[in-house]
Amino acid sequence: MKVIFSVLVLALIGFAAVFLYTNQTGGSPVSESAQAVSLCEEGSADLNAFRLNDARDKLLASLELDPDLAEASISLAYTYARLGREPEFKSTLARADSLVANISDPDRRMMAQLRLADASDSRFYSIRDSLVDRLKKEKPKNVHVLVALTKRAKTPEEQEKAWQKVMDADPNYAVTYNMLGYLELHRANYDKAIEHMQKYAFLAPDLANPHDSLGDVYFATGRYEEAEEEYVTSVTMQPDFYVSLINLGRTYLARGQMDKGEDILEKVRAEVRGSKLEQQVDQEILMTMVTYDVDNALDEVSARFITEHPDNGNAAFFRAMRLAYKGQMNESQAVMDSALTVWRLSDPYKNYEEFRKNVDRSGKRYEALLADLADAPATRVRHWGGLVAMSSDVVIHDQWYDRWRLGQALLDNNQPQLALEQIAPVLNVNPRLINPLILAVESYLALRQPEPARQSLEQAKRALAWADSDFPPVARAKELEKKVAELEGSS
């Protein structure tokens, strides 16, 4: 699963069924109702598996039987958070905070506090570090404490070591393989990533999330049919797993199946309407359409996003771009300059390197997109080249869009060989990227090299095999077919 829930994910993993039957000193049961305990455990397991509606129903039933069961309140609060139900999240979290004070067993109480400490609205948030410090001394091999410690790891190497400790403590702790799989994916170690994700699926056969994760690796490498199969499996197992539905729509768009992809994305939006998740889904939809050039719907979708989510940080970027596309350059620049100023004065910009890099890249991408609208090829090369240089730490499969735009600028600047050098690394990872493949054909034509031009064209045609007949690259491929044939005939 992607990072949409990155702030909460580790807060929810693994702590759900801790100390529920009896306290750790062998004393009295946690609850007078065994059924409440059972429902709490089942609901917490559903929460960890992203079966959110089932989790909510079971946890509410648990609390009806025992309103004082702190663990049920904690899990219910995080369930509401994932459902985007912020008022319910806050009220339930506040109740969970108060219930923890009544837990007599110190071990159970500290574990509950540890779970709550990941929420900034909790009164235990301020003592999170001290809780972890104490627990790592008192329970250094406890898997839940080790999971909490993974959040302190900053670099990929530190994260790998931290998750390896979790694996050593419990080789069957399935989520470990998911986290290690994404670490390898972000290192472009695709075979290792697949190995970890397959292990995750083996250890958690009833969960949809492993299939979504495996689909992400297949998608990154252009194995779209395998990705589609995994995403379909995920949503078949859990129809309301909207992350997989978005990824399925993205897979169709990547193959040029615009109608099918757009239809799925709009259906996802309808399913989460009215919740805070709607904003996140709308942003995913918009970014997907930008990436895959869904021009016919882009203006409408971006206008809707700006109108319905004016307080979203990215709304300013989209508004600036809409103004630019309408030719209102001064107004566009003013909106973007204001947004960048706000972002760069914020605490996240000052304190978090990744946030800082993303803001700076957004500013540079805006400049490059504006250059594509109004400037000469040499200026476009300078802007897109600067953005690619800023993204050297970004995994190669996530660089394809910027490298393609730089390559197009280089070709327009009569530098076809340099254009090919920009797109070669991304095509080595994903040979199904349609726009870079079209660019490769155009570049070889400019170099008057018929054989590689033909090879790239045939590769592009295979990539377009699933595409809608009115998908613009389909017509472009037909035009290039004639040009390649002419070059072959003159050679």
Side-chain angles (χ1 to χ4, degrees), residues 229-383:
E229 182 179 351
E230 294 299 331
Y231 294 140
V232 168
T233 298
S234 177
V235 298
T236 299
M237 295 175 70
Q238 186 179 336
D240 63 349
F241 197 178
Y242 88 87
V243 176
S244 286
L245 285 167
I246 289 178
N247 287 333
L248 185 59
R250 189 166 56 109
T251 302
Y252 293 136
L253 293 178
R255 293 195 304 204
Q257 295 171 280
M258 296 291 108
D259 292 340
K260 198 171 184 178
E262 289 178 54
D263 183 59
I264 285 181
L265 294 178
E266 284 302 317
K267 285 180 179 177
V268 174
R269 184 175 188 272
E271 289 179 9
V272 298
R273 183 180 295 278
S275 76
K276 195 172 182 180
L277 294 182
E278 182 180 1
Q279 183 177 139
Q280 296 171 326
V281 172
D282 278 356
Q283 183 169 301
E284 288 287 324
I285 290 171
L286 183 52
M287 291 308 300
T288 299
M289 288 184 170
V290 168
T291 301
Y292 293 103
D293 286 336
V294 188
D295 292 333
N296 60 317
L298 187 56
D299 185 67
E300 178 186 346
V301 173
S302 60
R304 182 179 70 192
F305 186 91
I306 294 165
T307 300
E308 296 188 4
H309 311 299
D311 296 329
N312 182 284
N314 290 313
F317 180 88
F318 298 133
R319 181 165 174 247
M321 289 310 307
R322 289 192 83 240
L323 289 168
Y325 283 123
K326 291 180 177 182
Q328 299 171 253
M329 297 300 183
N330 290 336
E331 295 91 335
S332 171
Q333 189 70 62
V335 169
M336 194 64 200
D337 287 346
S338 175
L340 288 170
T341 298
V342 171
W343 290 338
R344 287 171 174 157
L345 290 174
S346 69
D347 288 338
Y349 187 87
K350 297 173 185 176
N351 299 326
Y352 298 103
E353 182 181 9
E354 194 61 33
F355 183 89
R356 187 161 54 249
K357 287 180 178 179
N358 286 335
V359 167
D360 292 343
R361 279 194 285 257
S362 292
K364 193 64 179 177
R365 183 170 288 107
Y366 169 80
E367 293 176 357
L369 288 167
L370 235 60
D372 276 353
L373 292 174
D375 292 330
T379 303
R380 292 164 51 204
V381 168
R382 176 167 57 82
H383 283 297

Side-chain angles (χ1 to χ4, degrees), residues 356-467:
R356 187 161 54 249
K357 287 180 178 179
N358 286 335
V359 167
D360 292 343
R361 279 194 285 257
S362 292
K364 193 64 179 177
R365 183 170 288 107
Y366 169 80
E367 293 176 357
L369 288 167
L370 235 60
D372 276 353
L373 292 174
D375 292 330
T379 303
R380 292 164 51 204
V381 168
R382 176 167 57 82
H383 283 297
W384 284 108
L387 179 58
V388 169
M390 290 172 65
S391 303
S392 59
D393 59 336
V394 175
V395 67
I396 191 65
H397 62 261
D398 283 338
Q399 292 187 35
W400 80 262
Y401 182 84
D402 295 340
R403 283 178 172 267
W404 163 57
R405 298 297 288 252
L406 173 56
Q408 193 65 60
L410 286 163
L411 177 61
D412 294 343
N413 200 44
N414 299 314
Q415 296 172 283
Q417 186 59 49
L418 292 180
L420 289 167
E421 290 175 11
Q422 284 302 318
I423 59 177
V426 294
L427 286 174
N428 285 339
V429 171
N430 182 352
R432 300 275 296 276
L433 291 168
I434 293 170
N435 288 334
L437 286 170
I438 294 293
L439 176 59
V441 180
E442 294 171 335
S443 299
Y444 284 122
L445 284 170
L447 291 167
R448 300 196 63 77
Q449 296 180 11
E451 185 175 345
R454 170 60 66 184
Q455 292 173 349
S456 295
L457 178 60
E458 294 304 315
Q459 193 173 340
K461 287 160 66 176
R462 288 192 294 273
L464 287 164
W466 295 80

Side-chain angles (χ1 to χ4, degrees), residues 55-65 76 80:
R56 178 198 56 205
D57 293 344
K58 290 174 183 175
L59 292 165
L60 283 171
S62 173
L63 287 167
E64 284 183 9
L65 293 167
L76 181 60
Y80 282 134

Side-chain angles (χ1 to χ4, degrees), residues 107-321:
D107 287 340
R108 180 185 159 213
R109 185 172 59 250
M110 277 195 298
M111 199 61 69
Q113 290 171 344
L114 183 64
R115 291 182 69 193
L116 288 166
D118 280 292
S120 59
D121 289 331
S122 170
R123 63 192 174 100
F124 300 110
Y125 179 76
S126 60
I127 63 169
R128 178 177 51 182
D129 289 340
S130 60
L131 279 169
V132 175
D133 286 339
R134 178 174 174 180
L135 285 166
K136 75 177 182 180
K137 293 177 182 177
E138 296 182 3
K139 300 180 180 297
K141 295 184 179 181
N142 182 290
V143 67
H144 310 301
V145 175
L146 291 171
V147 170
L149 287 168
T150 64
K151 286 173 278 187
R152 292 189 171 184
K154 303 300 182 185
T155 67
E157 292 72 25
E158 290 174 350
Q159 291 165 10
E160 182 179 20
K161 289 179 180 177
W163 281 107
Q164 187 62 54
K165 289 181 179 179
V166 176
M167 186 188 296
D168 292 342
D170 184 356
N172 293 319
Y173 194 81
V175 173
T176 302
Y177 299 95
N178 190 47
M179 305 306 291
L180 290 173
Y182 275 110
L183 279 172
E184 296 297 353
L185 176 60
H186 295 149
R187 291 168 171 168
N189 294 331
Y190 303 105
D191 290 340
K192 285 186 177 180
I194 289 172
E195 182 181 339
H196 284 307
M197 299 306 191
Q198 288 175 335
K199 180 70 171 177
Y200 180 31
F202 175 78
L203 290 173
D206 296 328
L207 300 192
N209 191 53
H211 297 283
D212 181 80
S213 298
L214 188 54
D216 286 345
V217 186
Y218 289 142
F219 182 90
T221 54
R223 295 163 66 172
Y224 296 139
E225 289 67 49
E226 291 167 278
E228 179 187 15
E229 182 179 351
E230 294 299 331
Y231 294 140
V232 168
T233 298
S234 177
V235 298
T236 299
M237 295 175 70
Q238 186 179 336
D240 63 349
F241 197 178
Y242 88 87
V243 176
S244 286
L245 285 167
I246 289 178
N247 287 333
L248 185 59
R250 189 166 56 109
T251 302
Y252 293 136
L253 293 178
R255 293 195 304 204
Q257 295 171 280
M258 296 291 108
D259 292 340
K260 198 171 184 178
E262 289 178 54
D263 183 59
I264 285 181
L265 294 178
E266 284 302 317
K267 285 180 179 177
V268 174
R269 184 175 188 272
E271 289 179 9
V272 298
R273 183 180 295 278
S275 76
K276 195 172 182 180
L277 294 182
E278 182 180 1
Q279 183 177 139
Q280 296 171 326
V281 172
D282 278 356
Q283 183 169 301
E284 288 287 324
I285 290 171
L286 183 52
M287 291 308 300
T288 299
M289 288 184 170
V290 168
T291 301
Y292 293 103
D293 286 336
V294 188
D295 292 333
N296 60 317
L298 187 56
D299 185 67
E300 178 186 346
V301 173
S302 60
R304 182 179 70 192
F305 186 91
I306 294 165
T307 300
E308 296 188 4
H309 311 299
D311 296 329
N312 182 284
N314 290 313
F317 180 88
F318 298 133
R319 181 165 174 247
M321 289 310 307

